[in-house]
Amino acid sequence: FAINMDQLHLDEELGKGNYGTVKKVLHKPTKVAMAMKEIRLELDDAKLNGILMELDILHRAVAPEIVEFYGAFFIESCVYYCMEYMDAGSLDKLQGDGVPEYVLARITGSMVRGLKFLKDELQIIHRDVKPTNVLVNRKGQVKLCDFGVSGQLEKSLAKTNIGCQSYMAPERIRGESQNNLGTYTVSSDVWSLGLSMIEMALGHYPYPPETYANVFAQLTAIVDGDPPELPEHFSETSRDFVARCLHKISDRRATYAELLRHPFLVGDGQRSVDMPAWVEKAVRARDARIRNQIQAAQNAMS
Ligand code: ATP
Ligand code: MG
């Protein structure tokens, strides 16, 4: 069946990205809560239809580590994209001052299995691996979203995007001037995975703060500097795993099969981890931080 706007009851906003807004919605016919992403694109109907056709492949992206796709439609020059609602949100907001190693291992396992599924079953490279695209629910499940399946959509978005925190691999930054999309290989996602792991471990973006405000300085640090590492208090095993992801030479990086065999993830498979308990705690801490920020803003005004 095809989803359309008339079937949806709009609820609160879940977040905003560089390209659009994500809202919680209720699909009235099925009573399923969904997340709806609105992307404004100045394109003609033929191109928008092309994007919808390309997005159709997402109906085959069904795996425990992938956010489910329910359907997409367009109204005027906006594409609306409906997906599984993840009730604990994205990891960037849950990581706090950094997640403990056993949680990092559990999250990483899901990410690697999800990325391997996309590549092996659908020949899809994610292209946008970062903590905001790793979603969590209160059952403790960890799933990937926002992977690139539509060439037309990517081309239309590429123009507007220059994020201030880059998860791009060095080879992608170097190749950027020639061809934004051509230099991307599966190992570029492995780099972004390693960088995301460090961010989750630290609770902040790994490259130095001076580089946040200056895109050029940041890209230079990624291309010319040493790759970042997990902090000292993480085990040798976990630090080795991340180092296997963050080789500056792309063909030296581990494959997904190698990462799954690495002791860091083998160890995770042998442990029992209460993820729902961790999620509950992280959600509470996040909501308290948000309340404090609102309070501080109100105090500043009065
Ligand atoms: P970018 O624009 O660079 O991709 P982003 O990933 O943060 O950044 P969006 O993909 O537009 O931007 O998402 C905005 C926010 O909405 C996310 O950070 C996340 O917190 C929330 N969100 C997105 N999808 C869902 C979902 N399926 N369930 C719950 N929350 C979601
Ligand atoms: Mg996103």
Side-chain angles (χ1 to χ4, degrees), residues 223-252:
V223 172
D224 296 336
D226 288 330
E229 295 175 350
L230 273 182
E232 301 283 340
H233 68 272
F234 278 77
S235 69
E236 264 318 304
T237 312
S238 61
R239 290 163 55 85
D240 180 72
F241 184 96
V242 168
R244 300 284 298 115
C245 297
L246 289 179
H247 252 291
K248 283 174 69 182
I249 301 167
S250 61
D251 23 317
R252 300 246 180 103

Side-chain angles (χ1 to χ4, degrees), residues 27-247:
H27 184 247
K28 290 179 282 190
T30 57
K31 300 271 190 297
V32 173
M34 301 181 176
M36 181 183 78
K37 186 166 185 167
E38 180 189 75
I39 309 166
R40 181 166 289 282
L41 295 165
E42 303 301 333
L43 297 175
D44 56 51
D45 283 15
K47 287 216 169 91
L48 289 168
N49 266 317
I51 289 175
L52 292 194
M53 272 160 63
E54 289 181 303
L55 288 177
D56 217 56
I57 189 189
L58 288 171
H59 281 120
R60 291 195 279 138
V62 181
E65 296 87 6
I66 302 296
V67 169
E68 194 177 341
F69 173 69
Y70 296 129
F73 53 89
F74 68 84
I75 300 174
E76 283 152 23
S77 56
C78 285
V79 169
Y80 295 87
Y81 171 110
C82 296
M83 63 185 138
E84 177 178 2
Y85 167 59
M86 296 291 282
D87 61 4
S90 50
L91 261 170
D92 57 307
K93 292 168 198 118
L94 294 175
Q95 66 202 8
D97 297 328
V99 308
E101 183 167 329
Y102 72 97
V103 171
L104 184 66
R106 186 60 35 120
I107 295 166
T108 304
S110 294
M111 291 176 73
V112 174
R113 286 191 300 275
L115 291 168
K116 186 170 193 298
F117 165 84
L118 291 177
K119 172 174 166 277
D120 292 353
E121 305 301 321
L122 302 170
Q123 288 77 50
I124 293 174
I125 299 175
H126 190 298
R127 295 171 195 269
D128 202 12
V129 176
K130 56 180 176 182
T132 66
N133 289 337
V134 183
L135 302 178
V136 183
N137 63 25
R138 286 176 187 257
K139 289 186 225 162
Q141 294 172 314
V142 177
K143 307 189 186 197
L144 299 173
C145 69
D146 288 351
F147 35 95
V149 291
S150 163
Q152 180 60 251
L153 180 61
E154 311 248 301
K155 250 192 288 173
S156 318
L157 294 179
K159 291 175 210 143
T160 50
N161 181 40
I162 186 72
C164 50
Q165 298 192 351
S166 182
Y167 299 82
M168 274 193 276
E171 69 276 10
R172 216 191 143 196
I173 295 169
R174 279 192 236 103
E176 195 90 308
S177 53
Q178 301 135 30
N179 183 345
N180 199 341
L181 304 169
T183 48
Y184 221 116
T185 67
V186 66
S187 54
S188 308
D189 279 351
V190 174
W191 171 280
S192 310
L193 167 74
L195 206 63
S196 301
M197 287 177 69
I198 302 183
E199 171 161 337
M200 293 185 274
L202 294 171
H204 58 80
Y205 182 73
Y207 284 94
E210 308 86 88
T211 71
Y212 297 0
N214 180 340
V215 181
F216 184 73
Q218 185 171 105
L219 299 186
T220 305
I222 297 169
V223 172
D224 296 336
D226 288 330
E229 295 175 350
L230 273 182
E232 301 283 340
H233 68 272
F234 278 77
S235 69
E236 264 318 304
T237 312
S238 61
R239 290 163 55 85
D240 180 72
F241 184 96
V242 168
R244 300 284 298 115
C245 297
L246 289 179
H247 252 291

